[in-house]
Each structure stands twice: as C-alpha cells, then as structure tokens.
Amino acid sequence: FLSAFLFGPASAHETGSGLSGEPFSDPSELTPMSSEWKKKAIVYDSWAEKEDADIAISLEQDVYQIILPLIRKYEKDTGLHIAVKEGTCGIAAGMLAKKSVDVGGFCCPAGKEDRLPSLRYHTLGIVSKAFFVHPANPVDSLDEQQLTNIYRGKISRWSEVKTPGGAPGPDLAIRAIARLHCQLRPGHWRLMLDADKDFSARISEVGSIPDMVSQVSAHKDAIGWEVLSMVERYKSLGSVKVLKLNGLLPSDAGALAAHRYPFYRVYTVTTWEGKNLENARAQKLVQYLISEVERLDAGRFGFASPERLKKAGWRFSGDELIGEPRGAGK
C-alpha cells in the first residue's frame, strides 16, 4: 500500500505518448547482499590512498561538473584532503558496491540495484534535459508529443513540424541522435520512452556526451539532448541551438520546478550509515553541498534545488527525492 501511495500504479508514467517510464524507484526495495558484504568496511582504492584522503568520492560527470567547485571550496575551508574521481553512474555504483568510496554521485535516481544496505541517498536537485539542433535549422520549438514521435520514428522529416513563422521546417530527413545511458535506472531519457526498444530503429546512438554535441553540431538534420552545463563544457566541439519544449526553454528553472518542463535528470549523492562504514566528515560535506546548491545559478543550468522542489510539491523521503508533484505539468 505504501509503495502504491508514494509512486502510484505500476503502469507507465503519464505523458502524451503513454510509453514513458516511472521517474523514481521504490526506496524500500533494497538489493539483498551477503552477510560477508555487510560486515565489510570501507577500504579506499590506490587513487584515494595516494592523496591521503579523509573523504573519497566517485562522481558521475554531470554531477562532477556542477559540484566539484563546491567540494574544493569546502576542502580549502576545512583543511581536509578530499579525493574525487570523475566517471559515470556505473563507475560510482561499482565503487559503492565494492565499498571503496564514502560518497557516490549519480545523474539519475537510484535503481533497485543501487539501493544497498546502509547506503543513503541525498538529492542535490534536478536539472532540465535540453534538446537541441544544428544552428541552421529554423525550427526552434517542439511540443512533448512531437519530440516523442521524432524519437519513435512517427515524425521522420523536419517539414512535418513548423518554424516560428508557421512555415514547414526544412525538407530533410530527421537524424535523431540518442545516448541511452543508465538503462536500468529510472528517470532521465526514460521519462520520454521507457526502453531502447521503444525508439525508432533509425536513431543514431552515441556513447558519450562529447559525441552527442559534436554530432548535432555537424549535421543540419540532427537533433539530440544533453544538460546545459555539458553543452557549455563541450562547446569547443561545435555550436548547437537549444529548442523550446512546450514553449519553454530548459533554462526556465521555475517551469522545471513546477513540472511544466517535463524532462530532467536527478543529481544525487550518497553516504553510508553504520559501523565500519560511516564517515562523519563525508556526512558533513554532503549536508554542506545540499545547502550550497541553493546558491547555484538556476537559470544558467536549468536547475531546481531541493528547497525549491519541496515548495513546489515534489515528494521527499528524508533528503531523497522520491516523487513528482501530484498532477503538476500534466
């Protein structure tokens, strides 16, 4: 009953397509681990040991980009040695499962396989997933249904959508580019289409963020997605034009918090609780990060902090975001 109350029915997340997935997993469903694993203490890998680290952290690249400056400021202010490794959600999850780091950072909500005994999740905020095209494309806005139909292959030419003046877009076949990362985790691109099988067989799949930016910037018929901070990070690879979605720019943090801008990633970090696991310094750092993200430039990144989300009716369990606001944006 509690799971159904918090997350609703097990059917697809409500969108125009009816094919999108659930935005969050059930925090009460933990991955079973052996008694030997549960007794194991945190033991740093060599990269953290070399830095004589007081705290060892593995961060997914999006989260790394946003919070590394905050971590370095905290390190300077406290005199602690904080070792930080940039990677992916999968790398962070692997290091947590191995118990080699105090903190892991993710760009997605936790999946069931990420929910380990004694591991706690803390949400830093959500960030808009921006969709973009080549700068020469005159189309500057799509609605949610059009976007979904492009990636399903139901809309295959730019001439099937309109430019700002109401004229058809260019008579070019659409090159839909996708990066289908973290397929076992809820949220992110699965808010549009829940599984890779739901995407058109004609999509061009890329494996990295730099490839996404460079591919869209190189092709006048292309469309792709990424968060704004990573578009900025890789702007040397080429220029792209960010689209409005449902008439809203991804930089509109108010629309994101109100869930009128529908597609987003969830930035999350973890801490451990319990004997041989708990690092009080890491816990204090995470609480510092939660407070400091309130100061981030929301418009620059299309970012909504935990306090902003709570005021807008998003549902939390402790520090973890576990549900969208009821009925908002739909």
Side-chain angles (χ1 to χ4, degrees):
F1 171 82
L2 179 60
S3 176
F5 174 78
L6 290 174
F7 299 100
S11 59
H13 179 54
E14 182 184 353
T15 70
S17 72
L19 291 174
S20 58
E22 292 295 330
F24 300 95
S25 66
D26 185 340
S28 68
E29 295 185 4
L30 303 182
T31 295
M33 302 298 282
S34 68
S35 57
E36 290 77 13
W37 182 92
K38 291 178 181 178
K39 294 175 184 176
K40 185 179 177 183
I42 301 296
V43 178
Y44 293 162
D45 286 335
S46 59
W47 59 271
E49 287 184 337
K50 287 178 183 177
E51 295 188 35
D52 192 25
D54 298 303
I55 306 170
I57 304 174
S58 174
L59 296 178
E60 184 277 337
Q61 56 197 321
D62 292 27
V63 181
Y64 178 94
Q65 171 85 351
I66 295 296
I67 70 170
L68 183 64
L70 298 176
I71 292 172
R72 292 307 179 210
K73 181 179 185 301
Y74 187 82
E75 182 180 44
K76 181 179 179 181
D77 291 346
T78 61
L80 296 173
H81 295 161
I82 304 176
V84 184
K85 194 80 164 179
E86 180 183 13
T88 64
C89 291
I91 290 172
M95 289 186 177
L96 289 167
K98 195 172 68 170
K99 291 188 175 178
S100 63
V101 291
D102 300 300
V103 177
F106 297 81
C107 72
C108 312
K112 180 180 177 181
E113 71 281 358
D114 300 314
R115 295 191 180 279
L116 305 173
S118 300
L119 190 65
R120 300 292 175 262
Y121 283 82
H122 311 265
T123 299
L124 298 177
I126 66 172
V127 64
S128 300
K129 188 169 75 171
F131 292 84
F132 44 79
V133 296
H134 189 277
N137 191 331
V139 173
D140 72 353
S141 183
L142 296 170
D143 63 37
E144 189 174 347
Q145 189 67 65
Q146 288 173 323
L147 182 67
T148 300
N149 283 338
I150 284 172
Y151 277 96
R152 291 180 68 193
K154 303 295 184 182
I155 294 177
S156 60
R157 303 191 71 81
W158 283 112
S159 56
E160 296 177 64
V161 298
K162 303 294 186 183
T163 67
D171 190 23
L172 296 172
I174 298 174
R175 185 191 304 257
I177 301 176
R179 186 172 74 90
L180 303 181
H181 64 98
C182 296
Q183 294 199 24
L184 296 180
R185 296 183 178 91
H188 54 86
W189 55 264
R190 293 179 64 188
L191 295 176
M192 179 171 61
L193 292 167
D194 190 33
D196 56 0
K197 65 181 176 59
D198 298 324
F199 285 77
S200 167
R202 296 190 297 273
I203 65 165
S204 298
E205 191 171 348
V206 295
S208 72
I209 296 172
D211 285 347
M212 174 66 79
V213 175
S214 63
Q215 286 291 308
V216 176
S217 68
H219 298 285
K220 292 182 179 180
D221 54 357
I223 183 172
W225 71 67
E226 195 40 65
V227 297
L228 293 173
S229 63
M230 299 306 272
V231 173
E232 181 178 305
R233 179 176 181 177
Y234 293 108
K235 62 185 179 182
S236 64
L237 299 178
S239 297
V240 296
K241 183 174 77 172
V242 174
L243 297 174
K244 293 178 181 177
L245 182 57
N246 297 339
L248 301 164
L249 284 169
S251 56
D252 187 340
L256 175 66
H259 202 213
R260 290 185 290 114
Y261 191 94
F263 299 129
Y264 56 89
R265 292 182 186 160
V266 179
Y267 288 173
T268 305
V269 291
T270 66
T271 57
W272 294 99
E273 294 181 355
K275 185 179 179 181
N276 297 325
L277 298 173
E278 197 167 297
N279 183 337
R281 291 167 170 171
Q283 292 175 334
K284 288 179 180 178
L285 168 61
V286 166
Q287 291 307 310
Y288 166 83
L289 294 173
I290 291 171
S291 66
E292 287 299 305
V293 292
E294 300 295 331
R295 306 173 189 268
L296 288 179
D297 186 344
R300 179 183 175 194
F301 298 117
F303 177 82
S305 68
E307 283 305 309
R308 190 165 194 172
L309 294 173
K310 289 173 184 177
K311 289 178 181 177
W314 294 68
R315 288 169 282 160
F316 281 75
S317 175
D319 288 339
E320 184 185 3
L321 177 63
I322 61 168
E324 295 175 339
R326 297 185 187 278
K330 301 300 179 188

